[in-house]
Amino acid sequence: MNNLHEVDAWLAALLGKLEPAQRKKMLREVAQDVRRIQQANITAQRAPDGTAWEPRRMTARTKKGRVKRKMFTKIKTAKYLKATASANSATVQFDNRVQRLARVHHYGLRDRVSSYGPKTKYAERPLLGINKILTIELERVLLHWLKDT
């Protein structure tokens, strides 16, 4: 535990050497890389830990094996998956219009299929999260920025 505090203090000192504009630029690059990796996971229809999502349920009205399109093709775009940064933080989050939909699928909650339709339990399909690839990419970006200080 003591080791963690030492590393935190060391990183805080290094980040303190950067000007606020440089920190914002660095954090914007970090946020964009995080968004890009999350978009790749959503495109591949897998959770951040690498496991495949549970496929859609087929109803009696749909033909077996027929899927019109992949899930979440629109909400993974930059229009809905926002990457923002300030001098002190970087965030990657869904836009307000799709946050409820993303939350229901991410945690596997119950929701209505349509406005007046029946409630159903959705399968848990984690959309955002941290994995090994993301950690390596963040370390690369941070070291790139900190080597210049």
Side-chain angles (χ1 to χ4, degrees):
M1 193 69 154
N2 252 351
N3 242 354
L4 187 59
H5 292 297
E6 292 172 12
V7 170
D8 191 33
W10 176 73
L11 279 174
L14 285 176
L15 288 174
K17 291 180 182 179
L18 291 174
E19 297 294 322
Q22 289 176 315
R23 278 196 310 258
K24 184 176 181 177
K25 193 172 180 183
M26 178 190 68
L27 290 173
R28 183 180 304 121
E29 185 178 334
V30 165
Q32 288 172 345
D33 285 345
V34 169
R35 180 180 62 198
R36 181 181 46 78
I37 291 169
Q38 300 302 330
Q39 286 172 327
N41 282 339
I42 292 171
T43 300
Q45 303 280 300
R46 67 174 179 244
D49 63 359
T51 59
W53 287 340
E54 183 179 322
R56 290 180 175 162
R57 279 190 242 156
M58 293 292 155
T59 63
R61 294 169 54 175
T62 58
K63 292 183 180 179
K64 190 169 181 97
R66 180 178 177 220
V67 176
K68 290 184 181 181
R69 63 185 169 123
K70 289 187 173 184
M71 293 182 283
F72 312 119
T73 54
K74 286 187 179 182
I75 69 169
K76 72 177 181 182
T77 61
K79 179 179 179 180
Y80 297 112
L81 187 57
K82 300 291 184 183
T84 58
S86 68
N88 298 320
S89 67
T91 60
V92 176
Q93 66 183 15
F94 286 103
D95 189 47
N96 288 336
R97 294 172 281 183
V98 296
Q99 272 185 0
R100 189 176 68 66
L101 173 82
R103 185 175 48 251
V104 166
H105 284 276
H106 183 83
Y107 295 112
L109 305 174
R110 294 182 62 82
D111 196 19
R112 294 193 184 278
V113 178
S114 62
S115 301
Y116 299 105
K119 278 194 172 186
T120 186
K121 170 105 171 76
Y122 286 92
E124 186 175 335
R125 297 180 179 103
L127 299 170
L128 302 178
I130 296 176
N131 59 14
K132 186 72 170 171
I133 296 169
L134 183 61
T135 306
I136 292 169
E137 185 67 22
L138 294 179
E139 288 173 357
R140 184 194 64 76
V141 171
L142 290 174
L143 289 175
H144 169 75
W145 277 92
L146 294 176
K147 76 176 182 180
D148 296 336
T149 60

